[in-house]
Amino acid sequence: MTTPHRPTLRFAPSPNGYLHLGHAYSALQNERVAAKLGGQLLVRIENIDLDRCRRDYEAAIFEDLAWLGIIWQEPVRRQSEHFSDYACALEDLTGRGLLYPCFCSRSDIARKVNGSRDWPRDPDGGPLYPGTCKQMSADERAQRLAAGQHAALRIHMDEALSVAGMRLGWREYGEEDEPRDVTAEPALWGDAVIGRRDIPTSYHIAVVIDDHLQGITDVVRGQDLFNATSLHRLLQALLGLEAPNYRHHKLLRDKGGEKLSKSTRAKAIRSLRNEGVSPLELRRRLGFA
Ligand code: GLU
């Protein structure tokens, strides 16, 4: 745990591939803001996805960050070592009737919403949950769970909004350090999955718990997570956690306008390194001279 008031930032990659230019940009933004605030930078390894994350990618992350000249404080938090922290939060929310088990697979949901072309979608483009398991009787739930059926935990959005009560929002500084107040719109996500079926956590609950436990004051991350912040604010309010400031930065895109990612085969930092690009040159290319 860190002193709560010291500006504290985190770079939080998932070790499911090599870091690419988009990651370098995000790490450098974190470094820039940490320096500006006189704060410290932590690294968090977001490896809840045990099937996709690998130790060798993790080692490569540290190597690439060090090569780039990023300085971070130890210890590094590895999410896979903290499933019990996330499970506690899920239990708390479930006990308060704010989460319910859902047995639907993706294809069950797709089938259900298939007939309707105008089915509402969440900000990531997924169909809003049609509520199939919401009305299930307590008996049926208990029977299915006892039979060993796996369930995801979904948020009772209406309930949660009424418990969280007040208008939720956050202070957004963007990349330009121009603060503005953003109103959170968690309802856009419908009854989102907060505990996955395959693992006892989700990105959303893990990030909120970790930002709290690590004393994060400023979250610097890509614009692609801007809308997820609404859900994070709701979870923070439900769990009585303080909200950090947020600074969502632009995403680097390829020539076709696609955001750089593993799936678009973005160039890995280590390939550039092997081509003889120096850390300074890379920093310059990304606008951090
Ligand atoms: N692990 C996420 C990623 O690699 C970042 C999550 C966050 O910064 O909140 O995109």
Side-chain angles (χ1 to χ4, degrees):
M1 275 261 260
T2 48
T3 335
H5 297 301
R6 169 144 197 225
T8 301
L9 293 83
R10 85 303 195 274
F11 175 60
S14 292
N16 53 14
Y18 292 118
L19 295 187
H20 53 67
L21 283 178
H23 292 113
Y25 188 78
S26 197
L28 289 166
Q29 280 293 352
N30 269 284
E31 179 191 68
R32 180 186 71 78
V33 178
K36 186 184 137 89
L37 300 178
Q40 59 177 346
L41 176 60
L42 309 178
V43 171
R44 179 194 307 151
I45 296 294
E46 299 211 325
N47 61 346
I48 57 172
D49 231 316
L50 301 174
D51 290 341
R52 295 175 58 221
C53 294
R54 291 186 357 205
R55 271 288 191 172
D56 55 330
Y57 286 139
E58 199 177 310
I61 287 174
F62 299 128
E63 204 181 289
D64 290 343
L65 290 177
W67 173 82
L68 196 56
I70 301 283
I71 293 170
W72 66 92
Q73 304 304 309
E74 300 284 345
V76 164
R77 185 171 168 95
R78 301 180 68 243
Q79 290 189 322
S80 61
E81 291 163 4
H82 300 281
F83 282 121
S84 58
D85 290 341
Y86 315 134
C88 263
L90 293 175
E91 250 169 58
D92 172 14
L93 295 172
T94 306
R96 290 158 60 199
L98 297 171
L99 302 181
Y100 62 90
C102 167
F103 300 90
C104 297
S105 63
R106 258 173 219 255
S107 50
D108 292 333
I109 298 171
R111 224 173 301 126
K112 186 99 184 177
V113 307
N114 223 358
S116 160
R117 273 230 228 118
D118 304 323
W119 191 267
R121 308 242 148 208
D122 69 28
D124 284 347
L128 290 195
Y129 183 59
T132 324
C133 290
K134 199 171 184 165
Q135 310 305 338
M136 191 178 282
S137 70
D139 276 356
E140 185 176 352
R141 263 182 201 158
Q143 267 172 27
R144 287 194 182 214
L145 291 170
Q149 283 192 29
H150 292 291
L153 291 171
R154 289 188 178 273
I155 192 157
H156 243 297
M157 186 52 81
D158 294 342
E159 271 306 297
L161 289 173
S162 72
V163 171
M166 69 222 162
R167 224 172 124 234
L168 289 174
W170 73 87
R171 197 118 243 251
E172 173 66 49
Y173 285 76
E175 196 169 311
E176 311 300 330
D177 286 325
E178 281 162 12
R180 66 188 170 104
D181 290 320
V182 176
T183 302
E185 295 181 272
L188 293 177
W189 293 93
D191 286 6
V193 170
I194 304 299
R196 279 169 38 173
R197 210 145 73 122
D198 53 338
I199 42 171
T201 186
S202 65
Y203 160 64
H204 300 301
I205 198 77
V207 81
V208 158
I209 296 296
D210 287 350
D211 284 341
H212 165 66
L213 292 176
Q214 292 191 289
I216 303 301
T217 58
D218 292 78
V219 171
V220 175
R221 62 183 176 193
Q223 190 66 34
D224 51 342
L225 291 167
F226 183 89
N227 285 312
T229 305
S230 285
L231 209 44
H232 300 169
R233 286 292 301 113
L234 177 62
L235 292 173
Q236 285 158 351
L238 296 174
L239 294 167
L241 309 177
E242 238 179 84
N245 295 318
Y246 288 89
R247 299 163 181 269
H248 293 93
H249 60 71
K250 75 172 182 199
L251 299 174
L252 298 195
R253 300 188 179 276
D254 64 16
K255 283 186 194 115
E258 279 288 300
K259 124 179 173 200
L260 294 190
S261 70
K262 275 148 215 146
S263 51
T264 59
R265 299 188 168 279
K267 195 140 197 171
I269 296 177
R270 56 188 39 222
S271 315
L272 293 162
R273 222 165 106 187
N274 291 337
E275 286 166 18
V277 175
S278 73
L280 197 62
E281 214 174 314
L282 188 57
R283 281 174 175 261
R284 269 206 208 106
R285 269 195 214 176
L286 294 174
F288 301 83

